[in-house]
Amino acid sequence: MNPIEYLKRQGFRVTSDPTKYRSGIWGKRDYTVGGYNYDTYCGGYHRAYDLAKQHLAPVPSVCDGEVVAGTNAYGNFGGTVVVANKTLGIQVIYGHLARNLPVAVGRRVRQGDTVGYQSNTNYDNVQMASHLHIQFQRYGYIPGEQAFVCTGINPLGIDVGGGPLERKTSYEEAWLWRGKFRTAARIKKRIFPSLTAKVEGVAAAGTVFSFDKLYYNDGHWWLRIAYGGASRFIAAGRKEDGAAFQTAAARGRLWGAVTGLDTSGGREKTQKAL
């Protein structure tokens, strides 16, 4: 699945598509209002997609990666977040976000993590409609402000995972907790924290996974793990009435042992798609 399709599945609609500009040249937009060409700075090019869902809608990261330089509440694209993924060979710019960025340089993010909130901020504080500007570049630091702003590649050939079986996008509850889990028996790895999700491999008993999120869904506890460069999910045990996750772990009621549990991330405030 390419990253634009991924965002569309999260409820975003495309409002500016660089494959469909009148010039017939990818990214050559020349957006002109009242005789003023808003794309003059980049020679008429807008090498990015614009999308919208609703003002202040959470914007999910389209891939795993690290938040890197260029990320700034008052950046080149207003509230700006840049996420780099060396494996995919790309970096992704999320622009015009609300100023209260939930991530900072050095933070590791997973596909689906919120990197910002759709808004209308920009470099010059000019009036514009709330939307998401998303721009894809080759992996690596780009020196010079104009080069950084104007460089962009077509993302439609980038595979960020997913497919027709990855349709369920909601879950019941989640906590931003971290730790390690050692399986006590063979356990299935799935593409979503659900019993109906596609299985992508089976882990042997005694496998140790690091997890960075806990879910409750389909009557089970689920853990988000990294597998094959993508986020995958394992069921850690059935949820018993009146028993919290820590209680189930302490009583040995899970399908493995939990160590190093860090609950400082707290409970997820809003449910969102992965």
Side-chain angles (χ1 to χ4, degrees):
M1 181 189 306
N2 70 63
I4 302 305
E5 181 62 27
Y6 176 83
L7 287 170
K8 288 165 66 176
R9 292 195 180 195
Q10 314 311 313
F12 286 84
R13 66 188 185 281
V14 175
T15 59
S16 180
D17 186 338
T19 68
K20 298 180 179 179
Y21 295 150
R22 288 184 299 175
S23 69
I25 302 171
W26 190 87
K28 189 78 162 62
R29 184 175 69 167
D30 284 312
Y31 177 59
T32 303
V33 177
Y36 179 77
N37 185 348
Y38 284 83
D39 296 320
T40 298
Y41 186 68
C42 294
Y45 282 87
H46 180 258
R47 296 180 173 98
Y49 278 80
D50 289 339
L51 302 98
K53 186 174 182 179
Q54 62 191 37
H55 186 55
L56 298 182
V59 174
S61 180
V62 298
C63 62
D64 296 357
E66 180 180 353
V67 180
V68 297
T71 298
N72 195 314
Y74 291 86
N76 297 87
F77 299 95
T80 305
V81 170
V82 185
V83 175
N85 183 304
K86 188 173 183 179
T87 301
L88 292 175
I90 62 171
Q91 63 182 25
V92 187
I93 300 172
Y94 304 83
H96 307 318
L97 304 173
R99 304 288 189 193
N100 57 327
L101 301 179
V103 295
V105 173
R107 164 83 176 271
R108 297 289 304 180
V109 297
R110 295 282 181 85
Q111 186 181 59
D113 286 352
T114 297
V115 293
Y117 302 92
Q118 178 190 314
S119 191
N120 57 1
T121 64
N122 57 82
Y123 188 79
D124 291 323
N125 289 320
V126 298
Q127 184 65 35
M128 65 164 53
S130 176
H131 69 285
L132 167 67
H133 170 105
I134 187 166
Q135 187 168 338
F136 298 82
Q137 300 172 332
R138 300 294 182 193
Y139 180 86
Y141 177 71
I142 299 177
E145 181 178 6
Q146 189 167 32
F148 173 75
V149 170
C150 299
T151 300
I153 61 173
N154 189 335
L156 299 187
I158 301 169
D159 184 4
V160 296
L165 294 177
E166 203 170 11
R167 295 191 181 278
K168 186 171 182 181
T169 58
S170 63
Y171 45 86
E172 295 185 51
E173 294 182 273
W175 297 260
L176 303 175
W177 295 358
R178 298 174 179 270
K180 293 185 181 298
F181 184 77
R182 183 182 182 89
T183 62
R186 285 165 55 86
I187 195 164
K188 296 175 181 177
K189 298 187 284 284
R190 298 182 183 270
I191 65 172
F192 193 84
S194 168
L195 297 176
T196 63
K198 179 184 176 182
V199 175
E200 287 196 348
V202 179
T207 302
V208 177
F209 292 106
S210 294
F211 65 90
D212 65 355
K213 198 169 183 179
L214 168 70
Y215 300 81
Y216 168 63
N217 202 37
D218 289 353
H220 288 68
W221 296 112
W222 298 84
L223 305 175
R224 184 169 71 180
I225 62 171
Y227 174 71
S231 295
R232 292 297 180 259
F233 306 85
I234 57 173
R238 294 187 179 88
K239 185 179 186 303
E240 300 176 355
D241 289 344
F245 180 75
Q246 302 98 312
T247 302
R251 294 177 178 174
R253 304 295 292 176
L254 300 177
W255 298 337
V258 177
T259 57
L261 183 62
D262 178 2
T263 64
S264 61
R267 188 172 188 154
E268 186 179 74
K269 295 181 180 179
T270 58
Q271 297 179 20
K272 53 183 181 291
L274 292 175

